[in-house]
Amino acid sequence: MKLSKIREILQAEVLVGEGLLDSIEVDAGYASDLMSDVLAFASPGVLLLTGLTNIQIFRTAQMLDLQTIIFVRGKMPGEDLLQLAREVEMPILVSAMSMFEAAGRLYTGGLSPRAISRN
Amino acid sequence: MSSPYVESYAVDGTELVSIGEASTKIKSVLKMLGIPSDLIRRAAVVAYEAEMNLVIHGGGGEMELEVWPECIKISAVDTGPGIPDIGKAMTEGFSTAPEKIREMGFGAGMGLPNIKRNSDGFELLSEVGKGTTLRSEILLQKT
């Protein structure tokens, strides 16, 4: 699914990467406020839904090669995070929806979960 | 035997916002060296979790990256308080991270098990009052 479609589903505002939305395809998502779990369980290439906005959220996404971060509950990241995201052209979106609603709408819209591996 | 590509990184133990700077550098070096992306990702997770531990528990320290033809080696060394019970520290869910780290979404007791899971070789040495050394190895060519 194109990020532009995801933006539409989540009625999201684009903070970084407006011009990239039609060129990035995402097929799976991971939703969590616990970065410890994101680091352990999120697969590369997924989009991350989270309500935490500190700069380590970006670093976590960057280490894992996640495609994009969507902040839920209308949480706005600081300029320091946005600056790092601009440098590596990682799209950053913000949606007023709850994490539950955002994940539910994306799931219904066609995004999949990825199996969690504990090996 | 050829010599490895080596880089060292000092990790400041006082700045939470700078956690990840060393790991970001490690990731870009590996990319520059043309390492396959799935291995880079594993190395980046190892480096980032180890860097976080250096700051949270070790009071800062030093990280080193060695790239050999057959493997990537990442080490994190601190002179912090040490780990009294390594078995416990390796248990998923066990954490002694302070509240401010948990508020940032970390410190859930996943770090060391996650480092081990992403490593082909793993070693954790610690002495209370002296410090901790973590070594991880990721094979480039599986034999």
Side-chain angles (χ1 to χ4, degrees), chain B residues 92-136:
Chain B
E92 208 172 88
F94 176 81
S95 173
T96 58
E99 192 54 34
K100 61 182 175 182
I101 297 295
R102 295 175 195 251
E103 283 167 4
M104 290 170 73
F106 299 89
M110 304 294 289
L112 287 171
N114 198 24
I115 291 174
K116 191 176 180 189
R117 209 158 54 98
N118 281 287
S119 305
D120 294 307
F122 174 83
E123 186 179 43
L124 182 61
L125 304 167
S126 190
E127 198 174 334
V128 173
K130 293 207 167 163
T132 301
T133 295
L134 179 145
R135 294 195 191 96
S136 162

Side-chain angles (χ1 to χ4, degrees), chain A residues 3-8 10-22 24 68-71 76-77 82 85-86 89-96:
Chain A
L3 263 187
S4 50
K5 177 72 180 167
I6 288 165
R7 187 247 304 255
E8 192 187 310
L10 300 181
Q11 298 156 33
E13 181 187 341
V14 182
L15 303 179
V16 175
E18 180 81 52
L20 302 168
L21 299 191
D22 277 321
I24 295 182
T68 183
I69 305 171
I70 302 179
F71 293 104
M76 295 295 277
L82 297 178
R86 274 185 214 110
E89 298 192 315
M90 182 192 291
I92 305 289
L93 284 72
V94 58
S95 166

